[in-house]
Amino acid sequence: MRHEPMPDFDPKLGRQLPPPPATGSEQEVGPGQGNTLAKEAATAAAHHPEPPHAHEIAPSILRELFQLFRDMLRNGKGWPMLRLGAAILVILVGNMFGQVRLNQWNGAFFDAVERRDASAFFHQLLIFLVIVVVLLALVVAQTWLQERLKIRLRQRLTQVLLDIWLKPNRAYQMGFMGENSAQPDQRMQEDCRLFSELSTELGVGMLQAFLLLVSFIGVLWALSGPVSFNLGGREITITGYMVWVAVGYAGIGSGLTWLVGRPMIRLNTLRYAREAELRFALVRVNESAESVALYNGEPDERRNLDEFVDAVLKASRRLSGGLARLTWITSGYGWLAIVVPILAAAPDYFSGRLSFGEMMMVVGAFNQVQAALRYFVDNFPKIADWRSAVLRVATFRQAAIDLDEVTAESRKIETGPHPKGWLSFEGVSIALNDGSILIEDATAEIRPGERVLIMGESGAGKSTLFRAISGLWPWGSGRIRIPKPEEMMFLPQRPYLPLGTLRAAISYPASPETFDDARVRQALERVGLGEFIEMLDRHERWDRSLSLGQQQRVAFARVLLHKPKWVFMDEATSALDEENQASMLALFENELKGASVLSIGHRPGLEEFHTRTLHIRKTREGAILLARSRSRRNGRSPSKLGPKWIGRFRRSLKPARSRA
């Protein structure tokens, strides 16, 4: 068999392109390095680098935002966000005019105070009440629209990430993409929340600051007179000097803030990563509380959790130090802003060019301009927090794109429909990125109605072969021809039971309404779980309430409801006693007669049920697939069961026991 060269380390992606390592209940590592594929994989594995830091591979912030918002606006699903954004813009423009009118009132009011004109004083108070009522209504409307925009933004972003994550096989395969795809729960819960809330707050705040800057810079320019001074015997006049004072003051503050606060972006990203790791560790201990207690492993778990807590505290301490250093700039800048505009306007006031009211207008306009220009200073901690959230969401999205590139560019097992609806392996080689070959040049064909048992020692690649059939494991070479996907069902050793009712768990992946109540009850009764019939609609953590043996029988009830023509079992009866195992396998002699079965197992008696056995045997070049027909081995017809199994099937007509 001729092999094309496997892709080497790709500097664009920052990592190697060969297939990722196997995971699961079996650590399937083959010893073979003597063939071409093994050598290619070993060469690529030698280039395996340390995972790059997020900031080293992150694209620019503008490109990240463009790509995220492009995905959110695609297919017309972003119109609710755009409508809310347009409404907020209208409110902000109204607020801008209100603020300008309030600044004009400020001058008239203080002029009345300076003249000691009581009539004008009370008149201006009435005008103030009207202005305040209008501004208050605008602020309330802005707040409500802003909160609605946060909700819409989070809804759409979560939908985009879920669409990316839950494409067929991708959630499983992204687990091999390193840190960028780690903790998907945090990306779609905490990071989406932060991204949505901070994007809305900062976006609206920046837009409002820009509008106020545009409106008040003209006011400040008109009120501040020219300043003249001699420089080297030459008179220099600066027009609108108050504007330049505001710009210079804000520029100095922004520059210092950027220099001091820039490390906070990286520190925030690090803190979120450590928080996610701690949360995962806590959830893992909680999910495994029974096993931990049986091993008396609480002290060891405490030591492990202390390490995660220490990592969080260390990241938080570094962040708190950065925040303290930044506070020197932001707080000092804010205190000085109280007197800077008065000092700048004082010469014109004391010279008589400005009245007291006009000076207060200058101060008000200066503060508005300076507040708009210093928006970056006041909000830098929030901007750093937001930047970290954008980075984590964007890198998660990029990890999915990288996965497609890695899968497309590296050696790939071709999976396609069989023209006759059979299952066949044509020169299939399954590889790992440590240079080992699990299965080399597997070739076999399984026809409808056959019951085939795959056997082999642990680590030979049996479970990974099943993953390759389902499309979960595309790394390798060769071709797998499969029946129609809707005719196939896979039964892993530990069945997946979704959150919700027992009815939903039995009906999965179909909705609970797909099957009528009588069929569901009959299926439960058939697999020996009749005592749970009255609990069908109870919400519970069924993956924790049921024993593994009961969960495996729920999986067989699921098969009864869906009636697939092809059933793939990976140690699907490992937790059942022999009688219950016989009862479950009897389904393929009675209710599901004619269904094809391909199973992995080591339990005694399984060979008696299957019509053919495929042995995966390790060799120096990797595991190989050897076919051995049971009928040729013992002289019995492959379509009939031995006397031992006939007795078991007779007993299986009785209700199965529920102790397993």
Side-chain angles (χ1 to χ4, degrees):
M1 182 183 298
R2 182 178 179 271
H3 298 290
E4 296 299 325
M6 179 173 284
D8 203 9
F9 176 72
D10 189 335
K12 184 183 76 170
L13 297 178
R15 57 177 167 274
Q16 82 283 4
L17 291 176
T23 61
S25 57
E26 287 188 321
Q27 182 62 31
E28 298 176 337
V29 179
Q33 302 241 358
N35 53 50
T36 306
L37 188 58
K39 292 177 180 177
E40 292 170 354
T43 301
H47 292 282
H48 184 62
E50 291 296 321
H53 294 293
H55 66 276
E56 293 175 351
I57 62 173
S60 69
I61 182 66
L62 292 179
R63 188 168 63 194
E64 291 171 1
L65 290 175
F66 172 77
Q67 292 170 346
L68 287 173
F69 279 101
R70 181 192 60 190
D71 290 348
M72 286 189 281
L73 297 175
R74 189 169 289 164
N75 300 325
K77 294 182 178 180
W79 281 112
M81 294 186 300
L82 294 177
R83 287 193 294 266
L84 286 170
I88 291 174
L89 178 59
V90 172
I91 296 294
L92 291 179
V93 171
N95 182 273
M96 177 189 69
F97 285 108
Q99 292 292 340
V100 172
R101 180 66 185 90
L102 182 62
N103 191 63
Q104 294 172 348
W105 171 88
N106 203 38
F109 176 76
F110 283 104
D111 278 340
V113 171
E114 185 183 28
R115 296 194 306 267
R116 295 179 173 82
D117 187 341
S119 176
F121 176 82
F122 288 109
H123 176 69
Q124 291 300 323
L125 285 179
L126 292 175
I127 295 175
F128 174 76
L129 290 176
V130 174
I131 295 174
V132 165
V133 168
V134 173
L135 286 176
L136 181 60
L138 291 173
V139 169
V140 171
Q142 177 183 332
T143 301
W144 184 81
L145 291 171
Q146 193 167 310
E147 293 302 313
R148 296 289 295 176
L149 181 57
K150 290 179 184 178
I151 296 172
R152 289 289 189 181
L153 191 59
R154 181 177 182 181
Q155 176 189 21
R156 187 67 191 115
L157 180 59
T158 305
Q159 289 173 346
V160 168
L161 293 186
L162 285 174
D163 289 342
I164 291 174
W165 187 53
L166 289 181
K167 283 187 176 180
N169 305 330
R170 183 173 279 174
Y172 172 78
Q173 293 172 354
M174 282 185 68
F176 304 120
M177 294 301 292
E179 292 184 1
N180 288 345
S181 61
Q183 293 97 31
D185 54 319
Q186 185 193 21
R187 310 300 178 103
M188 283 172 278
Q189 187 268 321
E190 182 67 11
D191 291 334
C192 278
R193 181 188 66 82
L194 285 171
F195 177 91
S196 304
E197 293 181 358
L198 295 179
S199 293
T200 302
E201 292 174 7
L202 293 172
V204 172
M206 288 181 180
L207 181 58
Q208 187 171 19
F210 174 75
L211 292 175
L212 291 176
L213 175 65
V214 170
S215 58
F216 278 97
I217 202 167
V219 175
L220 191 60
W221 185 277
L223 289 174
S224 59
V227 171
S228 301
F229 58 92
N230 288 319
L231 182 63
R234 183 179 178 183
E235 184 176 1
I236 298 177
T237 301
I238 300 177
T239 305
Y241 78 97
M242 290 286 288
V243 174
W244 303 114
V245 172
V247 170
Y249 185 67
I252 292 172
S254 298
L256 290 174
T257 300
W258 173 250
L259 289 175
V260 175
R262 186 178 180 183
M264 290 184 64
I265 296 175
R266 178 177 52 83
L267 295 177
N268 267 301
T269 302
L270 180 64
R271 185 193 67 175
Y272 287 136
R274 298 296 173 262
E275 293 280 6
E277 291 168 359
L278 173 61
R279 183 170 62 248
F280 175 78
L282 291 169
V283 170
R284 187 171 181 273
V285 172
N286 182 56
E287 294 288 337
S288 307
E290 180 183 3
S291 298
V292 172
L294 291 174
Y295 279 105
N296 294 321
E298 288 85 355
D300 186 63
E301 293 299 331
R302 176 58 189 269
R303 287 192 297 271
N304 291 336
L305 290 176
D306 282 343
E307 294 180 5
F308 286 103
V309 172
D310 289 343
V312 170
L313 296 179
K314 181 180 178 181
S316 299
R317 282 193 293 268
R318 295 178 65 184
L319 183 62
S320 64
L323 184 60
R325 290 188 293 272
L326 185 61
T327 304
W328 283 100
I329 305 298
T330 56
S331 294
Y333 185 90
W335 287 111
L336 289 175
I338 296 175
V339 297
V340 168
I342 297 176
L343 291 175
D348 283 344
Y349 174 71
F350 289 119
S351 67
R353 200 185 71 80
L354 293 177
S355 67
F356 183 64
E358 289 173 332
M359 187 183 75
M360 297 309 296
M361 286 180 63
V362 169
V363 171
F366 183 95
N367 285 333
Q368 291 284 8
V369 171
Q370 188 265 143
L373 291 172
R374 76 173 188 187
Y375 184 85
F376 177 79
V377 176
D378 293 339
N379 292 275
F380 190 85
K382 187 180 291 186
I383 292 173
D385 210 7
W386 168 78
R387 181 64 182 85
S388 299
V390 173
L391 175 64
R392 289 180 63 79
V393 171
T395 52
F396 184 77
R397 173 190 173 277
Q398 189 62 39
I401 298 174
D402 290 351
L403 174 63
D404 292 339
E405 292 182 6
V406 169
T407 304
E409 296 179 22
S410 60
R411 187 180 300 278
K412 185 178 179 181
I413 299 173
E414 181 183 343
T415 304
H418 195 287
K420 296 182 180 180
W422 300 354
L423 175 68
S424 65
F425 306 99
E426 303 172 7
V428 174
S429 294
I430 299 176
L432 301 181
N433 75 334
D434 64 352
S436 60
I437 301 302
L438 290 179
I439 297 177
E440 172 68 14
D441 200 17
T443 300
E445 191 170 69
I446 300 168
R447 302 188 179 189
E450 286 193 286
R451 296 193 296 269
V452 179
L453 175 65
I454 296 180
M455 302 186 70
E457 61 183 284
S458 179
K462 302 183 300 297
S463 293
T464 305
L465 179 62
F466 264 43
R467 297 186 189 112
I469 296 171
S470 67
L472 283 177
W473 195 267
W475 297 285
S477 63
R479 177 180 298 172
I480 299 178
R481 302 284 196 180
I482 61 173
K484 295 179 180 178
E486 60 269 19
E487 297 178 350
M488 301 164 60
M489 180 168 282
F490 291 82
L491 274 65
Q493 183 175 9
R494 180 173 291 277
Y496 173 68
L497 302 185
L499 298 175
T501 64
L502 183 58
R503 186 187 302 275
I506 296 173
S507 305
Y508 188 83
S511 65
E513 298 80 18
T514 305
F515 307 103
D516 59 63
D517 186 67
R519 287 184 62 189
V520 175
R521 290 171 178 265
Q522 184 180 6
L524 267 184
E525 192 74 49
R526 172 62 183 84
V527 299
L529 297 176
E531 67 268 29
F532 292 97
I533 287 178
E534 301 305 319
M535 306 179 191
L536 273 171
D537 296 308
R538 178 186 296 179
H539 285 262
E540 202 168 317
R541 282 292 305 270
W542 294 105
D543 57 333
R544 303 181 69 177
S545 301
L546 301 177
S547 68
L548 180 56
Q550 290 171 330
Q551 293 180 44
Q552 289 183 345
R553 282 183 281 159
V554 167
F556 279 99
R558 192 180 288 166
V559 172
L560 263 179
L561 292 179
H562 288 273
K563 296 187 181 301
K565 294 182 180 180
W566 289 78
V567 179
F568 301 86
M569 299 188 296
D570 185 1
E571 300 281 2
T573 62
S574 60
L576 302 178
D577 57 56
E578 288 192 14
E579 188 171 337
N580 273 306
Q581 177 177 266
S583 177
M584 296 304 101
L585 296 179
L587 291 171
F588 302 105
E589 288 290 325
N590 300 306
E591 292 89 345
L592 298 173
K593 188 174 183 179
S596 306
V597 179
L598 184 68
S599 58
I600 291 173
H602 302 89
R603 294 288 304 277
L606 281 178
E607 286 189 85
E608 299 294 331
F609 165 73
H610 295 83
T611 59
R612 191 151 60 107
T613 302
L614 296 177
H615 286 268
I616 296 181
R617 190 180 70 190
K618 285 185 178 180
T619 68
R620 185 174 180 181
E621 268 111 24
I624 59 174
L625 196 63
L626 300 175
R628 185 170 56 166
S629 171
R630 189 179 64 82
S631 58
R632 292 194 300 269
R633 187 177 67 250
N634 53 30
R636 291 196 294 268
S637 170
S639 62
K640 296 186 178 293
L641 300 169
K644 183 179 179 181
W645 276 92
I646 292 174
R648 288 178 183 168
F649 287 143
R650 285 174 180 169
R651 291 195 299 272
S652 72
L653 297 177
K654 302 176 183 180
R657 292 179 294 173
S658 60
R659 68 174 181 270

